[in-house]
Amino acid sequence: MEEKNYEVNKKYDEKILINVLKNFDKSGEYVVEPGRNEIKKFEIDIKNNLEKENSKKEKHNKSENLETKKMINIKKFKQKDFITNFFYRFKGSKAKRSYEYAKKLLEYKIKTPEPIAYFDDFVNENNKKNSYYISEELKYDFTCREVFWPEDIERDKVEQGENYKISEETERMLAKVEKNR
């Protein structure tokens, strides 16, 4: 029996996500400069999903007026070589593990972007297989980079001068982390 190579959160329309993946290389906006992996953000229409949810709520007299657009992030993982592909058969792909770990973090009440889906070996329009992890876009006050590599932040402050922006709350948190090192 072959293992399923994708999973989609029931709140989302699989067809919409597949269409976005098919056009990944031609659309979307880079979140960070592409390197080994690529992360892009996309706006999707979730109207169909909302209509399903609202029809369920109307049955229970709980109708809400919600936005029909949602920003999502999609991480496209580097293509795997033969050896890596062999080991991923045992421990699961990075896309699948990202999806499962995000669900686990949410179970433990640790704030993380909502996992939407993962697709392994998805064949794009160029007939190349890639793995993808999809999550909601989450607005954040700071990144792991600011916590674990504060020297990079200091360098950025010097390079960007008064154009560098960081919230006062983040500055306080970073000062506490630095104090407790």
Side-chain angles (χ1 to χ4, degrees):
M1 185 168 106
E2 191 173 313
E3 187 178 340
K4 188 168 105 173
N5 64 353
Y6 70 94
E7 185 173 330
V8 177
N9 182 323
K10 65 183 178 223
K11 296 180 192 175
Y12 293 88
D13 186 339
E14 183 178 318
K15 291 175 188 167
I16 291 172
L17 298 175
I18 288 172
N19 190 44
V20 173
L21 291 181
K22 285 181 180 177
N23 295 296
F24 182 89
D25 292 331
K26 289 194 271 185
S27 59
E29 180 183 327
Y30 282 107
V31 174
V32 293
E33 289 299 314
R36 182 183 58 187
N37 302 312
E38 296 178 45
I39 304 173
K40 287 184 170 183
K41 66 180 174 180
F42 297 84
E43 183 176 72
I44 61 169
D45 187 349
I46 58 171
K47 183 179 178 185
N48 294 338
N49 297 4
L50 293 175
E51 286 173 358
K52 289 177 196 173
E53 288 295 313
N54 284 338
S55 68
K56 289 178 189 175
K57 289 179 182 180
E58 284 173 8
K59 291 178 184 175
H60 302 300
N61 298 324
K62 292 181 182 178
S63 182
E64 294 179 17
N65 184 17
L66 301 172
E67 290 185 38
T68 63
K69 302 285 185 191
K70 186 166 195 109
M71 292 302 292
I72 62 170
N73 289 330
I74 301 178
K75 183 171 187 175
K76 175 181 162 183
F77 293 93
K78 181 182 101 173
Q79 288 187 311
K80 305 171 286 234
D81 60 37
F82 176 77
I83 295 170
T84 305
N85 201 23
F86 174 77
F87 285 110
Y88 279 1
R89 290 180 191 261
F90 300 106
K91 66 180 185 176
S93 72
K94 285 184 179 182
K96 181 178 183 179
R97 286 181 285 149
S98 296
Y99 182 78
E100 290 174 346
Y101 292 156
K103 289 191 328 186
K104 187 66 78 178
L105 288 171
L106 290 172
E107 282 177 28
Y108 290 124
K109 308 287 187 241
I110 297 171
K111 190 173 182 179
T112 194
E114 179 182 10
I116 295 172
Y118 80 88
F119 290 84
D120 282 338
D121 299 326
F122 182 85
V123 179
N124 66 14
E125 64 179 13
N126 300 329
N127 286 326
K128 289 187 177 180
K129 287 183 179 180
N130 288 97
S131 292
Y132 299 87
Y133 169 63
I134 306 172
S135 68
E136 73 173 355
E137 181 169 86
L138 182 67
K139 301 294 181 204
Y140 53 85
D141 292 325
F142 61 91
T143 65
C144 291
R145 180 175 165 251
E146 293 155 342
V147 175
F148 297 112
W149 299 282
E151 61 278 1
D152 289 352
I153 301 304
E154 292 304 317
R155 185 193 65 238
D156 290 351
K157 283 182 184 178
V158 170
E159 288 174 1
Q160 297 175 21
E162 61 187 50
N163 295 327
Y164 185 82
K165 301 269 192 260
I166 190 167
S167 72
E168 289 180 27
E169 182 181 339
T170 303
E171 284 283 4
R172 284 192 297 273
M173 187 276 312
L174 291 172
K176 284 181 187 177
V177 168
E178 192 63 33
K179 181 180 174 184
N180 293 323
R181 277 188 170 196

